[in-house]
């Protein structure tokens, strides 16, 4: 946990946020500024700054994030119609919160 990290504080429960799902390793909540009718964030509980900081030890949690993304798409009833699973990587890739997260976006015509 990083003291000044927004998503660490959400994971800890210090910022009131409804979790749509919580597993041992990840939480899922709605994006506060949605870019599509369905816009969820799948966030590891452990602080990982960015895709660029992943190590071998993170293989399990990254697989869990993808599986939860797939499961949340089904739960939100967008699996068949289709959806995006997206990592923004570093500032140039659009990353603004430096705690790893996977965007699940669906429900609009791209
Ligand atoms: P990124 O640009 O990939 O770093 O995405 C960060 C995302 O976090 C953005 O889509 C924000 O809208 C979202 N976000 C920022 N603060 C919150 C919050 N308190 N609760 C939910 N989502 C948030």
């Amino acid at each position: 946990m990083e003291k000044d990290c927004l998503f660490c504080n959400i994971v800890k429960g210090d910022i009131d946020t409804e979790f749509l799902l919580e597993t041992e390793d990840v939480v899922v909540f709605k994006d506060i500024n949605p870019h599509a009718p369905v816009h969820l964030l799948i966030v590891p509980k452990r602080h990982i700054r960015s895709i660029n900081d992943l190590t071998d030890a993170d293989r399990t949690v990254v697989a869990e994030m993808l599986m939860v993304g797939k499961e949340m798409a089904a739960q939100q009833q967008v699996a068949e119609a289709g959806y995006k699973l997206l990592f923004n990587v570093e500032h140039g890739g659009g990353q603004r919160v430096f705690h790893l997260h996977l965007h699940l976006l669906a429900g609009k015509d791209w």
Side-chain angles (χ1 to χ4, degrees):
M1 292 283 167
E2 298 272 310
K3 190 163 69 67
D4 295 326
C5 169
L6 174 64
F7 286 177
C8 282
N9 288 322
I10 287 178
V11 167
K12 268 195 290 173
D14 287 354
I15 297 169
D16 194 27
T17 305
E18 185 193 349
F19 294 155
L20 279 62
L21 182 80
E22 178 170 5
T23 72
E24 197 181 331
D25 291 328
V26 306
V27 295
V28 180
F29 51 89
K30 288 186 180 166
D31 196 294
I32 205 167
N33 180 25
H35 289 247
V38 174
H39 188 173
L40 306 183
L41 299 174
I42 297 131
V43 177
K45 289 181 175 174
R46 189 157 51 81
H47 184 82
I48 301 167
R49 199 190 65 89
S50 151
I51 284 278
N52 280 348
D53 289 51
L54 290 173
T55 69
D56 265 345
D58 300 318
R59 285 178 191 274
T60 311
V61 74
V62 172
E64 170 77 350
M65 290 171 76
L66 289 172
M67 289 303 288
V68 166
K70 178 201 136 179
E71 288 159 12
M72 290 308 297
Q75 194 237 48
Q76 297 285 309
Q77 302 182 319
V78 298
E80 260 184 52
Y83 56 96
K84 290 178 189 276
L85 290 175
L86 175 76
F87 286 105
N88 292 327
V89 184
E90 303 294 343
H91 205 269
Q95 186 174 4
R96 295 296 178 266
V97 175
F98 288 87
H99 177 131
L100 189 66
H101 50 282
L102 178 62
H103 295 259
L104 165 60
L105 296 141
K108 80 174 198 187
D109 253 344
W110 305 99

